[in-house]
């Protein structure tokens, strides 16, 4: 019997892995599953309730990154970004690492990041970057916190460890300890936009990616990684859309959330305040445009906020346009630990069901460049991407810059989505999109299939195959 340890560095890993069929696939193949977690008991119990079983759980040991480890990790990151920017000729590769970004720091912290940015001008070379990474791993291996990780592995004795997020800093000492102990390791690449941002905090034995497109990205951005170690598995988060037991009829959905089943529904999918600071203005524009349509063809608006943004910024818009907007809030749990000063957020399984039904029963998703375009494409629904700056935008915000981000170059053509280039166009574009949902269908499907492996229902089985046999099913 093989023992599989799954490391969950954050709450999103619960949704994508613990709520998915990965666990049942492992258990069906006689694997023993143990969770290495930095999650609360309540979060684990939510996953246990879904599967009807009791997990063996061990808490991740304490780890505080030393100044030299942090320097090497940050220097490797910005050095890689400089290489990517030069090779891809895309200035948006390092939007958060410009010199102006330093203005938010003060004193010694400012000096620390100033030195990193200065030194990175001379380290943007793959051989130097590999040297920096080796220094980083060497520093991690000498950390005084390594003893806790060595003890954990000697007690748990896993055959293989999966980390559900390649950005987790606490996975560095765990994977260093595993390497020394001869334990197999794997990490999932969390999202389709992570690789161009150099967001890989550690090294693993296997890298699990969504598609051939993402595998090619790994090998482009990390030429030191062996191609055989990058395995195309798909991602479990899209499996939920193919689980009929989670889906409601349109009548049930509309009755529960107060919509008219005979009229189209447009989902405004909000972003967080940092990346989408003007979402409330875009929602106002959409509501005004919808209300300008004749009543007989006027869509309803379902507003789903970003699960980590509960600010009141949308409240005036929702109240003003309550005749066309209904807020359907994400079902996430928020836990605060006053002693440790951290906040844990994670989705409840009921939110997995909710999101699947919102995507199934809304006729259109409308937002600024969200991954949700792929979620709605699972039900062959179109996406509208907002492509204009709001009238009150400050000088640092640019929607044009957003769509120059590297991950949007994965579009087979610009016709994969419907572009809203001004608020004057909204009424006609939305009305036409809900009336003719097969607009841009060919390119929409081509984009989905390029980014995400198909059939998506095999992702959990593929990941289980890698963990148990070293290769996907």
């Amino acid at each position: 019997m093989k023992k599989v340890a799954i490391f969950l560095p954050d709450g999103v890993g619960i949704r994508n892995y613990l709520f998915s069929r990965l666990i049942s696939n492992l258990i069906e193949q006689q694997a023993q599953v143990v969770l290495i977690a930095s999650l609360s008991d309540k979060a684990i119990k939510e996953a246990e309730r879904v599967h009807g079983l009791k997990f063996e759980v061990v808490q991740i040991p304490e780890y505080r990154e030393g100044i030299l480890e942090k320097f090497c990790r940050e220097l490797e990151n910005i050095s890689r970004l400089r290489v990517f920017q030069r090779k891809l000729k895309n200035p948006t590769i390092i939007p958060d690492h410009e010199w102006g970004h330093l203005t938010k720091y003060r004193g010694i912290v400012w000096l620390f990041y100033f030195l990193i940015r200065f030194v990175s001008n001379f380290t943007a070379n793959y051989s130097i970057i590999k040297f920096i990474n080796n220094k980083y791993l060497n520093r991690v291996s000498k950390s005084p916190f390594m003893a806790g990780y060595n003890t954990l592995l000697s007690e748990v004795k896993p055959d293989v460890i999966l980390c559900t997020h390649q950005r987790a800093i606490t996975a560095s000492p765990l994977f260093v300890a595993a390497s020394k102990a001869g334990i197999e390791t794997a990490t999932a690449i969390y999202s389709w936009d992570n690789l161009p941002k150099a967001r890989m905090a550690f090294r693993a034995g296997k890298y699990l990616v969504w598609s051939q497109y993402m595998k090619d990205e790994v090998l482009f951005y990390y030429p030191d990684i062996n191609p055989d170690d990058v395995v195309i598995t798909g991602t479990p988060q899209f499996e939920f859309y193919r689980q009929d037991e989670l889906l409601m009829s349109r009548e049930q959905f509309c009755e529960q959330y107060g919509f008219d089943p005979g009229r189209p529904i447009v989902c405004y999918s909000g972003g967080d305040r940092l990346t989408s600071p003007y979402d409330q203005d875009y929602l106002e524009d959409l509501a005004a445009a919808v209300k300008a349509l004749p009543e007989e063809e006027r869509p309803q608006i379902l507003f789903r906020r970003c699960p980590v943004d509960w600010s009141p910024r949308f409240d005036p818009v929702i109240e003003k346009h309550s005749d066309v907007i209904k807020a359907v809030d994400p079902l996430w749990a928020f836990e605060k630990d006053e002693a440790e000063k951290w906040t844990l957020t994670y989705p409840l399984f009921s939110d997995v069901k909710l999101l699947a039904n919102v995507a199934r029963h809304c006729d259109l998703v409308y937002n600024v460049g969200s991954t949700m375009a792929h979620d709605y494409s699972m039900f062959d629904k179109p996406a509208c991407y907002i492509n204009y700056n709001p009238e009150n935008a400050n000088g640092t915000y640019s929607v044009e810059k957003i769509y120059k981000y590297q991950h949007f170059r994965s579009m087979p053509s610009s016709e994969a989505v419907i572009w809203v280039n001004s608020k004057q166009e909204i009424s006609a574009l939305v009305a036409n999109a809900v009336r003719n949902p097969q607009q841009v269908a060919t390119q929409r499907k081509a984009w989905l299939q390029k980014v995400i492996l198909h059939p998506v229902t095999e992702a959990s089985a593929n990941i289980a195959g890698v963990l148990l046999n070293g290769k996907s099913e």
Side-chain angles (χ1 to χ4, degrees), residues 17 162-166 186-190 206-209 463:
Y17 294 89
L162 168 68
C163 178
T164 60
H165 199 316
Q166 88 288 344
T187 186
I189 303 301
Y190 171 71
K206 297 289 184 185
Y207 301 86
L208 313 183
V209 297
I463 294 171

Side-chain angles (χ1 to χ4, degrees), residues 233-236 238-239 241-242 378 448 452-460:
T233 60
T235 178
F238 292 97
E239 289 182 327
Y241 300 123
R242 293 292 183 263
M378 291 292 297
L448 179 71
I452 301 163
L453 178 68
H454 285 254
V456 296
T457 52
E458 296 179 0
S460 288

Side-chain angles (χ1 to χ4, degrees), residues 283-296:
L283 180 61
E284 165 71 34
D285 291 348
L286 174 62
V290 162
K291 290 169 81 168
L293 291 169
E295 188 171 354
E296 63 273 12

